[in-house]
């Protein structure tokens, strides 16, 4: 088969699709509850932010599965076209949704939102749609985000970097060389987590030297550990895989903070173990798992389908909810529960509508226009995830 020929479709790992959805929904709940926290020491889903690191590991695994054996039939240009077709439409939509909700977020937390002119907001929206990061001086919110209309897009920025590194050379590494790279990145991750000021892996969303460092630490180990896992793991059948993997994932993400303010390093140890050992175990078991029954298959499919749209579109609603909480200072979570539930349901509905009436039709159209003879169903990562 030539490089311009048709690449046959590969089946997905349905349990991994489902786990991606479980992690994405957990992120939404984490962000809603985060509005009621005073710091990372009292978050109610204390390690929910580690879902991003799980997405990176999952992405590395499925990228290896989808593309490792296709480089004799596919050019780098074809690879990047496929990734852009899969990821970019919802990046654009996330930026548009962020612009639509922006002025509704004016609040004591972000008191200067109303001072941002519409023309400048539109400029930031267009830049966000390209996935290019903005500088701190260009920020319109006050949180110094590289994508201030849609904060989680920072992880897609690093997802693209991981895809580029894979295609540009990492894919050519032997298993031994890749293992050495993964080991070095794992040591770097553990050292940072344990010795950092707050003993946590939070960060990566600002265009500054320190935040970019955190972003690369969070990307490199899990992404290439996922690739190594795909290349080395011998899968075995595992019953009830989705149930047990989901429970384990929720357990490690929801674990209360370890060590407290007195022993920040202890939390760094926990997060290092979670990323380096537990997440690969979950992905391995999920890839090995067997789905039984139409109900489980349907649940995993729905969660997999909705996972990326909800991850990349929910945060404008979180900004709005968080701004509302700041306007109602002192409101308890119980009092805010109806609005929190409404925010969650709205995030799911918006993601589903975007999926069915925008993302899938646009990807189909782009596929026909840009790659009419390369009909390959793309395995998704993060942050496709």
């Amino acid at each position: 088969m030539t490089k311009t020929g048709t690449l046959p479709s590969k089946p997905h790992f349905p349990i991994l699709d489902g786990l991606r959805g479980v992690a994405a929904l957990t992120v939404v709940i984490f962000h809603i509850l985060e509005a009621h926290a005073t710091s990372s020491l009292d978050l109610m889903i204390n390690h929910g932010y580690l879902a991003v690191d799980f997405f990176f590991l999952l992405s590395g695994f499925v990228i290896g599965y989808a593309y490792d054996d296709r480089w004799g039939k596919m050019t780098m240009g074809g690879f990047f076209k496929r990734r852009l077709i899969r990821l970019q439409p919802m990046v654009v939509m996330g930026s548009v949704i962020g612009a639509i909700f922006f002025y509704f977020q004016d609040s004591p937390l972000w008191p200067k939102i109303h001072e941002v002119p519409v023309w400048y907001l539109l400029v930031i929206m267009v830049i966000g749609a390209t996935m290019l990061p903005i500088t701190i001086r260009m920020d319109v919110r006050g949180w110094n985000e590289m994508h201030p209309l849609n904060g989680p897009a920072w992880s897609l920025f690093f997802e693209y970097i991981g895809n580029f590194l894979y295609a540009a050379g990492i894919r050519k590494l032997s298993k031994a060389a890749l293992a050495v790279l993964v080991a070095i990145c794992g040591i770097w991750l553990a050292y940072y987590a344990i010795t950092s000021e707050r003993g946590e892996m939070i960060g990566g969303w600002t265009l500054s030297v320190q935040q970019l460092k955190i972003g690369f630490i969070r990307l490199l180990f899990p992404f290439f550990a996922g690739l190594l896992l795909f290349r080395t793991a011998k899968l075995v059948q595992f019953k009830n895989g989705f149930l047990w993997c989901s429970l384990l994932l929720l357990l490690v993400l929801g674990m209360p903070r370890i060590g407290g303010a007195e022993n920040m390093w202890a939390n760094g140890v926990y997060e290092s173990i979670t990323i380096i050992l537990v997440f690969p175990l979950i992905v391995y078991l999920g890839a090995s798992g067997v789905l039984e029954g139409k109900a489980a298959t349907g649940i995993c499919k729905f969660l997999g389908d909705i996972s990326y749209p909800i991850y990349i579109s929910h945060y404008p609603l979180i900004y709005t909810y968080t701004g509302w909480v700041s306007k109602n200072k002192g409101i308890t979570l119980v009092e805010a529960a109806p609005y929190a539930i409404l925010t969650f349901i709205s995030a799911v509905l918006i993601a589903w509508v975007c999926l069915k009436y925008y993302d899938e039709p646009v990807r189909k159209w782009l596929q026909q226009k840009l790659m009419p003879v390369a009909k390959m169903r793309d395995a998704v990562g993060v942050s496709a995830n």
Side-chain angles (χ1 to χ4, degrees):
M1 187 179 297
T2 67
K3 291 185 179 181
T4 58
T6 299
L7 294 177
S9 174
K10 285 187 175 183
H12 283 197
F13 289 100
I15 292 178
L16 296 186
D17 289 343
L19 291 175
R20 192 171 63 246
V22 170
L25 292 175
T26 302
V27 167
V28 178
I29 298 171
F30 164 75
H31 282 146
I32 291 172
L33 297 178
E34 189 180 24
H36 298 274
T38 60
S39 73
S40 59
L41 296 177
D42 61 356
L43 293 170
M44 279 170 271
I45 301 181
N46 208 286
H47 297 92
Y49 50 85
L50 294 184
V52 171
D53 307 83
F54 178 74
F55 290 144
F56 283 143
L57 195 140
L58 188 58
S59 181
F61 185 92
V62 298
I63 286 291
Y65 169 69
Y67 297 109
D68 256 10
D69 62 352
R70 287 175 161 160
W71 285 100
K73 313 163 189 174
M74 176 181 64
T75 64
M76 283 187 62
F79 171 79
F80 289 121
K81 281 184 182 179
R82 288 180 175 87
R83 300 311 295 154
L84 284 168
I85 290 171
R86 183 61 188 91
L87 299 175
Q88 201 62 25
M90 279 307 301
V91 169
V92 174
M93 180 56 71
S95 190
V96 171
I97 294 173
I100 291 171
F101 278 86
F102 182 72
Y103 291 113
F104 295 101
Q105 298 154 7
D106 194 18
S107 62
L109 187 60
W110 304 299
K112 295 185 178 181
I113 281 181
H114 67 277
E115 298 177 6
V116 178
V118 173
W119 70 265
Y120 191 69
L121 173 67
L122 294 177
V123 169
I124 298 300
M125 181 189 77
V126 171
I127 294 174
T130 68
M131 203 68 261
L132 294 173
I134 67 165
T135 65
I136 293 174
R137 293 183 63 181
M138 296 176 67
D139 184 36
V140 294
R141 185 179 305 282
W143 276 3
N144 297 329
E145 297 164 291
M146 64 172 69
H147 298 98
L149 298 184
N150 191 23
W154 75 268
S155 63
L156 268 293
F157 171 75
F158 281 100
E159 169 79 8
Y160 274 127
I161 292 175
N163 279 238
F164 173 80
L165 293 175
Y166 165 76
I170 301 299
R171 64 183 173 86
K172 300 177 183 178
L173 294 181
S174 65
K175 291 180 183 179
L178 182 60
V180 171
L181 173 63
V182 168
I184 292 171
C185 293
I187 292 170
W188 189 24
L189 183 150
Y191 175 80
Y192 171 78
I194 296 169
T195 63
S196 64
E197 182 179 355
R198 301 191 63 81
E200 60 196 19
M201 294 301 297
I202 295 177
W205 50 78
T206 299
L207 199 62
S208 68
V209 173
Q210 177 62 17
Q211 286 288 306
L212 287 173
K213 171 186 171 183
I214 298 171
F216 275 106
I217 290 173
R218 298 186 72 178
L219 166 74
L220 292 177
F221 171 79
F223 190 89
F224 294 117
L227 178 62
L228 180 64
L229 179 64
F230 163 72
R231 292 183 177 179
T232 58
K234 295 183 179 179
L235 303 181
V236 296
Q237 288 196 341
F238 176 62
K239 292 185 178 181
N240 299 315
F242 177 64
L243 173 63
W244 294 114
C245 289
S246 296
L247 290 175
L248 181 56
L249 180 61
L250 292 172
L251 175 65
V252 295
L253 294 180
M255 180 70 66
R257 187 179 176 92
I258 307 298
E262 300 78 20
N263 298 293
M264 297 288 192
W265 61 270
N267 195 70
V269 171
Y270 172 81
E271 295 194 356
S272 300
I273 292 173
T274 297
I275 298 171
I276 294 173
L277 297 178
V278 180
F279 284 168
L281 174 63
I282 293 173
V283 172
Y284 170 76
L285 294 176
S288 298
V290 178
L291 279 179
E292 298 179 356
K294 292 183 178 180
T297 301
I299 290 171
C300 285
K301 184 180 186 308
F302 173 77
L303 290 173
D305 288 346
I306 206 75
S307 60
Y308 178 50
I310 198 170
Y311 176 78
I312 202 62
S313 69
H314 80 282
Y315 212 69
L317 278 76
I318 301 300
Y319 288 131
T320 307
Y321 177 78
T322 303
W324 177 81
V325 170
S326 75
K327 287 181 181 178
N328 295 271
K329 189 174 182 180
I331 191 170
T332 66
L333 179 58
V334 173
E335 294 170 331
Y339 301 93
I341 294 170
L342 178 62
T343 299
F344 178 81
I345 294 173
S346 298
V348 175
L349 288 176
I350 289 173
W352 186 85
V353 170
C354 287
L355 172 71
K356 294 300 180 181
Y357 296 99
Y358 167 75
D359 187 38
E360 290 181 342
V362 169
R363 283 192 281 125
K364 182 178 180 180
W365 180 82
L366 289 173
Q367 186 79 33
Q368 292 170 347
K369 293 294 182 181
L370 299 180
M371 310 191 71
V373 297
K375 301 175 182 178
M376 182 179 70
R377 184 184 181 188
D378 200 355
V380 187
V382 121
S383 333
N385 309 305

